[in-house]
């Protein structure tokens, strides 16, 4: 059964809109856990636009499920990750002018930086995942660098309709196969919602789905615990 990682960055986005103390992502993590989250995911961005250092520190102390920290290959953030030692770190690309993470990490182009990051995280005892497009060359690098997992970027699948979506799903299937054949754990995320999650959850060997925007959006109306429960039900019924 795939695990559900609930990305709570947007709780911090609301807080930062007023530069105040509420809503607190630490409360959100507890509510998500009560709703059945298997993992809490946060992205500590270099520009600190949502999650702050204090959030990661407190989450490290309070989250009782897996804590997954998304980060760019940045010296400052890597140092924080190695100090706080979340259970898992997911390396993502980061541009200051982007609205959200656009596209996967280019592990081919930035191989040296990715290699150094994976090695430092591994030495700190942190499992590493690389957020990659479903591109065989990128997955080859993940295997060569001995990452623990690849999180497939599902943005193209999520954004396209009709036959374009079928083709995007075929690419995810092929990439998933390559990831598992390479001995890495298969994760996926980005743009997944209550309407499109099931075919991705049903990919063979899927281990972890990271979902943020759609769950936080639904939480506005039904509460975070219920929003997580509904997503868990969809994931579970997709693989039964
Ligand atoms: N996985 C990664 C690596 C991400 O960067 C994000 C967005 O922060 C997500 C998953 C979640 O994407 P969404 O908010 O679209 O569900």
């Amino acid at each position: 059964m795939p695990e559900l990682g609930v990305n709570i960055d947007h709780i911090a986005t609301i807080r930062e809109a007023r530069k105040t103390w509420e809503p607190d992502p630490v409360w959100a993590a507890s509510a998500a856990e009560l709703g059945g989250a298997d993992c809490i995911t946060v992205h500590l961005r270099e520009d600190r636009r949502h999650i702050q250092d204090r959030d990661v520190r407190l989450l490290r102390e309070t989250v009782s499920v897996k804590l997954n920290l998304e980060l760019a290959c940045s010296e400052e953030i890597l140092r924080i990750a190695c100090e706080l030692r979340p259970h898992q770190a997911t390396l993502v690309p980061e541009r200051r002018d982007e609205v959200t993470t656009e596209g996967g990490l280019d592990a081919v182009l930035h191989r040296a930086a990715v290699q150094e990051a994976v090695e430092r995280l591994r030495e700190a005892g942190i499992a590493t995942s690389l957020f990659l497009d479903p591109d065989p060359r990128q997955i080859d690098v993940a295997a060569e660098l001995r990452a623990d997992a690849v999180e497939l970027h599902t943005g193209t699948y999520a954004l396209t309709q009709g036959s374009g979506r079928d083709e995007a799903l075929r690419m995810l299937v092929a990439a998933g196969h390559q990831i598992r054949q390479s001995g890495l754990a298969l994760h996926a995320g980005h743009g997944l919602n209550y309407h499109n999650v099931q075919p991705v959850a049903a990919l063979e060997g899927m281990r972890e789905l990271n979902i943020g925007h759609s769950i936080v959006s639904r939480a506005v109306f039904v509460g975070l615990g219920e929003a997580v429960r509904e997503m868990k039900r969809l994931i579970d019924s997709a693989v039964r």
Side-chain angles (χ1 to χ4, degrees):
M1 198 74 74
E3 295 188 333
L4 172 59
V6 177
N7 182 313
I8 55 171
D9 291 348
H10 284 341
I11 302 294
T13 302
I14 299 173
R15 177 190 61 193
E16 296 306 310
R18 283 290 179 95
K19 296 281 173 213
T20 179
W21 49 271
E22 65 177 355
D24 192 325
V26 177
W27 306 346
S30 301
E33 278 195 44
L34 288 170
D38 303 294
C39 168
I40 300 296
T41 295
V42 289
H43 184 176
L44 185 64
R45 296 183 70 106
E46 287 185 87
D47 63 11
R48 307 297 200 276
R49 73 171 66 158
H50 39 52
I51 293 293
Q52 306 296 313
D53 300 40
R54 160 271 184 210
D55 301 329
V56 188
R57 221 175 27 251
L58 288 178
L59 289 167
R60 181 66 184 92
E61 286 180 22
T62 54
V63 166
S64 64
V65 291
K66 183 161 90 180
L67 179 64
N68 173 37
L69 179 66
E70 294 178 1
L71 74 161
C73 296
S74 123
E75 173 55 36
E76 186 209 3
I77 311 290
L78 270 170
R79 199 170 31 72
I80 294 170
C82 291
E83 195 180 302
L84 294 179
R85 302 207 297 130
H87 306 96
Q88 177 176 289
T90 301
L91 291 170
V92 300
E94 201 172 293
R95 284 210 335 262
R96 277 174 196 257
D97 55 352
E98 68 191 358
V99 175
T100 179
T101 314
E102 294 164 357
L105 184 67
D106 192 338
V108 175
L109 186 65
H110 303 294
R111 184 184 174 116
V114 175
Q115 178 164 10
E116 191 198 330
V118 168
E119 284 171 3
R120 282 176 63 179
L121 292 163
R122 188 188 300 124
E123 273 166 30
I126 304 165
T128 54
S129 175
L130 304 186
F131 184 49
L132 302 178
D133 289 325
D135 172 344
R137 294 165 313 151
Q138 299 288 342
I139 295 162
D140 280 344
V141 175
E144 286 159 21
L145 299 184
R146 294 190 297 118
D148 296 287
V150 169
E151 178 174 335
L152 283 176
H153 192 305
T154 49
T156 304
Y157 160 80
L159 284 174
T160 48
Q161 300 291 334
S163 61
R165 171 167 293 193
D166 296 342
E167 178 52 25
L169 189 60
R170 273 195 290 278
M171 289 181 72
L172 292 172
V173 170
H177 182 72
Q178 184 187 353
I179 290 164
R180 288 184 296 103
Q181 287 296 108
S182 309
L184 309 183
L186 173 60
H187 302 174
H190 210 282
L192 296 178
N193 59 39
Y194 296 82
H195 303 287
N196 65 20
V197 71
Q198 288 195 311
V200 178
L203 291 185
E204 203 177 337
M206 181 56 69
R207 292 265 288 275
E208 180 183 303
L209 297 171
N210 282 298
I211 307 179
H213 187 86
S214 63
I215 291 178
V216 174
S217 301
R218 183 164 293 219
V220 172
F221 302 102
V222 303
L224 188 51
E226 179 58 20
V228 173
R229 263 189 296 279
E230 287 177 24
M231 185 60 83
K232 279 285 288 182
R233 274 199 290 272
L234 283 173
I235 293 171
D236 290 355
S237 64
V239 287
R240 282 226 173 88

